[in-house]
Amino acid sequence: MTGPDPLAGACPVPLVETERVLLGHGSGGQLSAALISEVLVPALGSAAPAGALEDAAVVTVDGVDIVVSTDAYVVSPLFFPGGDIGSLAVHGTVNDLAMRAALPVALAVAYVVEEGFPLDRLRRVAASVGAAARAAGVPVVTGDTKVVGKGAADGLFVTSTGVGRRLPGVAPSATGAAPGDAVLLSGPIGRHGVTILSVREGLGFDTDICSDTQPLHRLVEAMVAAGGTAVHALRDPTRGGIASALGEIAAASGVGVEIDEGSLPVPGPVQAACEMLGLDPAHVANEGCLVAFVAPERADTVLAAMRARPEGRDAVRIGTVREADPGRVVVRTAVGSRRVLDMLVGEQLPRIC
């Protein structure tokens, strides 16, 4: 005769899907990191890059540093207040190059178009790509177009690849943050994610706010001119928001990051939407701001240079790098307590960029 089952009446342990791709694998948070580190990079073997993964890769050819980045854009809806999938594709790739202190030299753009997609909408997207590229001062030198069967692409997907020239004498990297560094933020957070969600779900917040999508390479150029090698790390907090951007740099650099919650600039409509939906603004996507880790002796100078540019006029200092709690981001709240700011878990806002 056996005794009572010790697990009888206990709450079941939730099962986690481990053999299928989930929407959360594209969130820019913990599942994305796991997919890259456990599936995609190991499959490359000796062809995988050494060291921490960055927004863009530096390839040295005959002694010249060339910066390369590529990204796919699947945002829904395709058009939204402040931008569209075309301008987003240009800005996103230009910004990934900028996070390695590179100015864009050339772009390649590829379209995957679903059968039946209206030509007038395709013309609008293509025109937006051209206008955004001209405004950024970078030519679109090559590309590709594929048409797939109805239902295979949800309208339109755009992929852009960029090549950049790194500014001389600097090499910001996710591994470069050091204890004592000031953490600077170039502007308000959460605008892009809330705009997309509001349009998609008809929440009405898009009447008060629009996406922040914009190119940041000129802002980075001004920061480097002011701070030089004191600019240790740069990251644009897109998918997964500022929480994921800070967490990635903390982990790659082996440092702790302490953020002052009261210093985070969250626009009123973003705060209202997040409170209504139970979201943390730190997890909401951005497309036109950056976080910078800057040596303390140059932080004020770099911050002033940021504020002198239209892209950084609302720049603020939000925290400090510490030796304690390596790999962890801690938020100091208004009441003096401290909480851990984790990277996004799962999928918060699908099809955001």
Side-chain angles (χ1 to χ4, degrees):
M1 182 175 179
T2 60
D5 184 351
L7 297 180
C11 293
V13 176
L15 296 177
V16 178
E17 176 63 70
T18 59
E19 292 303 320
R20 296 177 187 270
V21 175
L22 307 175
L23 277 175
H25 283 112
S27 68
Q30 294 183 26
L31 286 178
S32 293
L35 181 69
I36 293 169
S37 64
E38 297 171 13
V39 178
L40 302 181
V41 170
L44 297 176
S46 61
L53 299 180
E54 306 273 5
D55 281 340
V58 179
V59 181
T60 303
V61 180
D62 295 333
V64 177
D65 285 345
I66 299 172
V67 182
V68 182
S69 182
T70 192
D71 208 342
Y73 295 85
V74 297
V75 65
S76 175
L78 299 179
F79 304 91
F80 47 85
D84 55 63
I85 193 172
S87 60
L88 193 65
V90 172
H91 297 161
T93 296
V94 166
N95 292 348
D96 282 346
L97 296 173
M99 296 310 103
R100 302 306 304 276
L103 302 181
V105 172
L107 293 179
V109 177
Y111 301 94
V112 176
V113 190
E114 181 185 0
E115 176 190 12
F117 188 76
L119 272 176
D120 64 327
R121 289 168 67 84
L122 184 58
R123 290 189 184 99
R124 283 181 62 190
V125 172
S128 181
V129 167
R134 288 190 297 274
V138 55
V140 178
V141 297
T142 189
D144 189 28
T145 305
K146 292 291 190 297
V147 177
V148 297
K150 195 169 185 62
D154 196 14
L156 176 69
F157 298 154
V158 180
T159 296
S160 55
T161 299
V163 177
R165 171 182 53 82
R166 190 153 66 169
L167 295 167
V170 292
S173 167
T175 63
D181 279 359
V183 183
L184 309 180
L185 175 65
S186 67
I189 62 172
R191 291 166 51 193
H192 178 73
V194 165
T195 298
I196 297 298
L197 182 63
S198 182
V199 175
R200 185 187 300 160
E201 304 299 334
L203 301 179
F205 291 103
D206 54 296
T207 61
D208 302 315
I209 201 167
C210 64
S211 171
D212 63 341
T213 178
Q214 62 181 331
L216 299 172
H217 59 297
R218 297 183 180 101
L219 174 63
V220 170
E221 187 175 23
M223 294 169 64
V224 168
T229 57
V231 180
H232 292 160
L234 298 166
R235 184 62 58 97
D236 57 335
T238 53
R239 292 175 302 165
I242 194 170
S244 290
L246 295 173
E248 289 165 358
I249 291 178
S253 297
V255 297
V257 178
E258 184 170 281
I259 300 301
D260 179 5
E261 187 173 50
S263 69
L264 288 175
V266 182
V270 172
Q271 187 66 51
C274 288
E275 289 177 356
M276 184 180 76
L277 300 170
L279 305 177
D280 187 338
H283 288 146
V284 179
N286 313 273
E287 289 293 342
C289 69
L290 61 81
V291 289
F293 290 67
V294 181
E297 65 274 12
R298 301 295 293 173
D300 288 343
T301 302
V302 172
L303 186 59
M306 295 171 72
R307 290 172 174 169
R309 290 285 314 173
E311 310 95 311
R313 62 180 177 272
D314 298 318
V316 292
R317 178 171 179 163
I318 62 170
T320 305
V321 178
R322 312 177 328 136
E323 291 185 6
D325 302 316
R328 178 173 291 180
V329 181
V330 175
V331 175
R332 186 172 64 254
T333 69
V335 297
S337 62
R338 299 168 77 243
R339 63 179 178 88
V340 174
L341 181 62
D342 284 323
M343 293 174 65
L344 178 64
V345 178
E347 180 62 66
Q348 183 187 53
L349 303 173
R351 299 288 304 279
I352 209 71
C353 64

